[in-house]
Amino acid sequence: MLDTAATFVAFPAHDGEVGILPQRAPLVYKLGIGALRIKTPSETHVYYIDGGFAQMADNKLAILTEQARKTADIQPAAAEKALADARSMPGTDATTREARENAMRRAKAQLRLVRQKV
C-alpha cells in the first residue's frame, strides 16, 4: 500500500490512459493493464497494475487492484517466459483464445515497462 500526497497520477483505464491532478472532480474508472505512475514533489513511483478500479472522491484517489508490482521487481526473463508460455497456449475455442490473449497482453505490458524503465 502506498499512501502519499501526489502532484499527478496516471493509470491505465480499460479504454486508455487517464491522468489525475489534485482537485479533480469525482470519478470511478475500471482499470486496465499497464503502468500506474504516481508523481510526488520528490519522486515518481511506477507500478505494473492488472485490472481493478480507481475512485476519485474528496480529493483522494484510491486504486483497488489485485496486482500492483514495482517495475523494478519485474524480472525481464520471467516476463519473456510468460509471453512465450502465453503464445504456446491452445486457442481452440473462444474461451481459450481469450485466455491466451489476456495472458499475452499481461506479459507484453510487463515487458514494455521493464524495457522503457518508466
Side-chain angles (χ1 to χ4, degrees):
M1 182 169 95
L2 177 66
D3 186 0
T4 187
T7 57
F8 178 75
V9 176
F11 59 81
H14 72 284
D15 59 353
E17 188 174 65
V18 174
I20 303 289
L21 292 168
Q23 303 301 322
R24 169 71 167 79
L27 65 73
V28 174
Y29 256 98
K30 179 180 176 186
L31 295 175
I33 299 167
L36 167 64
R37 295 186 324 272
I38 304 162
K39 293 186 180 186
T40 69
S42 60
E43 62 185 318
T44 299
H45 303 272
V46 183
Y47 295 86
Y48 164 80
I49 61 172
D50 187 350
F53 293 92
Q55 177 185 23
M56 181 73 173
D58 299 324
N59 203 36
K60 293 184 193 280
L61 178 64
I63 302 285
L64 305 171
T65 183
E66 287 190 29
Q67 185 176 171
R69 294 173 39 194
K70 290 183 178 183
T71 55
D73 294 342
I74 298 173
Q75 299 298 318
E80 290 279 0
K81 182 178 181 329
L83 181 57
D85 291 347
R87 286 184 172 143
S88 68
M89 290 172 70
T92 55
D93 58 39
T95 302
T96 57
R97 281 191 299 275
E98 182 178 351
R100 181 179 63 207
E101 290 300 316
N102 287 337
M104 287 176 52
R105 192 171 23 255
R106 287 177 174 89
K108 287 178 181 180
Q110 289 181 35
L111 284 170
R112 266 192 311 275
L113 287 175
V114 295
R115 288 178 179 156
Q116 290 174 351
K117 302 291 184 202
V118 187

